[in-house]
Amino acid sequence: MNVGHFVLALALINGLAALGFYGYAAMRAPEYVRPARLFAISMTIFVVFASALQWVNIMTHQFQFEYVRNFTDRALPRLLLFTTFWGGQAGSFLLWALMCALFTLVLIWGLRRSAWEPFVLTPYLLVALCVTGITLAAGPFKMLPAGEVPADGNGLNPLPQNYWMAIHPPILFTGFT
């Protein structure tokens, strides 16, 4: 298991804890809102960290990662290297998990003085956890066997190299979130 996979697993565990505490807080135990917030914030930090790791892997051409090998190459300009983050299915799920995690912070901040916080965050975290779990299963940090690491990647699919297709996933997932 590598660091990215481990960090996503920690995000999932913290999200499950937040979901449990928010669920319990919704059942007339408001003192559990504080630990729920802390676990939800921790989940967000771990998803942001995993996303940052993926961008570092992409930008530094870490071809030992299957995702980086499949969707990047050394000839891609920086802007297109940036868009390879969501160029494949596992990356798209990671982008969606990132947006869900960041919106969790927006909800916590917006509802921090409201009695509705556990009632809103419980179902929202359920959705965010499903996306995070799917991301973990999709394996954006899956590594190639040591003897199969290429000197260059396969390159980005021609579709996301169009400006409109490059901005399509972030806009779409913002709406989903």
Side-chain angles (χ1 to χ4, degrees), residues 30-44:
E31 65 272 11
Y32 287 99
V33 167
R34 182 163 167 69
R37 277 185 200 145
L38 294 175
F39 279 115
I41 291 168
S42 298
M43 177 196 78
T44 300

Side-chain angles (χ1 to χ4, degrees), residues 72-94:
T72 71
D73 63 24
R74 295 183 187 279
L76 280 174
R78 279 273 187 224
L79 180 63
L80 289 180
L81 266 179
F82 187 78
T83 64
T84 60
F85 183 88
W86 55 81
Q89 183 183 41
S92 291
F93 281 126
L94 185 55

Side-chain angles (χ1 to χ4, degrees), residues 21-100:
F21 278 111
Y22 270 125
Y24 200 67
M27 295 186 299
R28 308 233 185 261
E31 65 272 11
Y32 287 99
V33 167
R34 182 163 167 69
R37 277 185 200 145
L38 294 175
F39 279 115
I41 291 168
S42 298
M43 177 196 78
T44 300
I45 290 168
F46 286 125
V47 171
V48 168
F49 185 61
S51 299
L53 278 174
Q54 186 72 316
W55 261 306
V56 168
N57 291 340
I58 289 168
M59 295 297 183
T60 59
H61 305 291
Q62 301 298 314
F63 296 120
Q64 69 268 26
F65 293 97
E66 187 178 297
Y67 187 85
V68 177
R69 189 241 5 227
N70 287 342
F71 299 103
T72 71
D73 63 24
R74 295 183 187 279
L76 280 174
R78 279 273 187 224
L79 180 63
L80 289 180
L81 266 179
F82 187 78
T83 64
T84 60
F85 183 88
W86 55 81
Q89 183 183 41
S92 291
F93 281 126
L94 185 55
L95 175 66
W96 196 359
L98 174 63
M99 292 181 143
C100 284

Side-chain angles (χ1 to χ4, degrees), residues 81-146:
L81 266 179
F82 187 78
T83 64
T84 60
F85 183 88
W86 55 81
Q89 183 183 41
S92 291
F93 281 126
L94 185 55
L95 175 66
W96 196 359
L98 174 63
M99 292 181 143
C100 284
L102 292 175
F103 193 67
T104 300
L105 293 180
V106 171
L107 287 174
I108 289 171
W109 183 80
L111 296 167
R112 68 188 181 282
R113 293 187 184 104
S114 170
W116 286 98
E117 183 179 351
F119 300 102
V120 173
L121 267 294
T122 300
Y124 183 78
L125 279 173
L126 188 58
V127 171
L129 283 170
C130 286
V131 173
T132 305
I134 290 169
T135 303
L136 188 61
F141 297 101
K142 193 182 308 179
M143 297 188 80
L144 295 169

